[in-house]
Amino acid sequence: MTTVLLKNARVVDGSQDKPTDLVDILIRDELIVEVRSGVSEHADTIIDLAGKIVMPGLIDGHVHVIATKLDLGANADLPNSLVALRSANIMRAMLMRGFTTVRDLGGADHGLVEALDEGTIIGPRLIICGKALSQTGGHTDYRGRFNRRSVEHYPDQLGALGRICDGVDEVRRASREEIKAGAQFIKLMANGGVSSPTDPIANLGFSREELLAAVEEAENAQTYVAAHLYTDAAIRRAIECGVKSIEHGNLITPETAKLAKERGAFVVPTNIVYDRLAKDGASLGLPPVSVAKIEDVRSAGFNALKVLHEAGVTMIYGTDLLGEMHEHQSEEFVLRGEHLPAADVIRSATLDAAKALGYEGKLGTVAAGAFADLIVVDGNPLEDLSLLTGQGRHMPFIIKGGEFVKTS
């Protein structure tokens, strides 16, 4: 049994707009066992933080750890071995930025989860949906207009974000296969997308019957459906069909935001990906047909933050970055901070994320019984969210499961 005592810490978790008074945090093995002032128990490692800020390990609710290239069609054709090795590097960098948990929205498989759990590779806790489900010609169908190649190989390609299924029976089978393979939720591509070549943003993905089938299969497996959604019509239809996790949500209206709140749905905005695609997409190889779609959603994303905030909808931190853009993962904090209170932005990556994803009390909090996933920050992020950027530069200590993964 290993014990760690962090003394004289001030906690910031997004629950209030100022740090707590000084507390001591006692860790035993992988769990936090006590958080209060004046803990005097002997510990194997004792660190006096002298008033530094301690935060729960950050949660990114929308990543693609297997997206090693910006051209996702090309990424899907890479050898699985190459994708796995590149993904290991991507995840290690995420952990070094303070993200101790990430939710993958298409592509990662249970093999990566197992490799992380057993310590074969180093990275965050990984929550997966397996392959995202797309209809023919939808988001994650990267064949283009003149390519009739079969998509049967997609489920076996680690670098493919999704798989194609058409009709209620195929959607049911694909959902069941992904759950069998370790998916912890189901992901649907229920709207057009930027990175795929033949689906304009306004296109709806899947029929209502197909959406309802996926929702039923998820509920049967005691989980939920997340859906890629931009337009208000697509978002409203998905919520009405029982989708709980709205990915992106850029064009949502106040009326639909109210419906989301009433139905208990949450939204995962991903503004940083559009910011970086607009700046670097073309130079990094994003196809011209995709570059032309970016502005359709980029500017609306910031207005959506205001709409969702005013409606009281739970928002989760998400980034959706691809290829060379992964290094900008923490900059979503700064973008959101220009439109929302800092405490709300932080809570989206801690308490709110943990609750929405089904890990309330275990992740996203500095409390007894939670996993000892913690970051120490030089300075107060409530006053300067940029302290959470810089590739972990302002984080002298990062702890995952009670183990120090960074100590400088």
Side-chain angles (χ1 to χ4, degrees), residues 332-350:
E332 177 79 11
F333 283 109
V334 177
L335 286 182
R336 291 200 194 188
E338 295 172 356
H339 304 274
L340 300 171
D344 290 4
V345 178
I346 290 170
R347 192 170 66 248
S348 74
T350 55

Side-chain angles (χ1 to χ4, degrees), residues 223-265:
T223 189
Y224 63 92
V225 169
H228 162 96
L229 297 159
Y230 286 129
T231 66
D232 190 70
I235 297 168
R236 175 168 286 272
R237 186 181 72 142
I239 294 171
E240 290 171 347
C241 289
V243 170
K244 292 299 182 186
S245 181
I246 309 302
E247 307 304 311
H248 317 301
N250 296 50
L251 299 169
I252 194 168
T253 63
E255 294 74 23
T256 299
K258 181 181 178 182
L259 179 65
K261 173 71 173 177
E262 292 171 352
R263 298 289 181 90

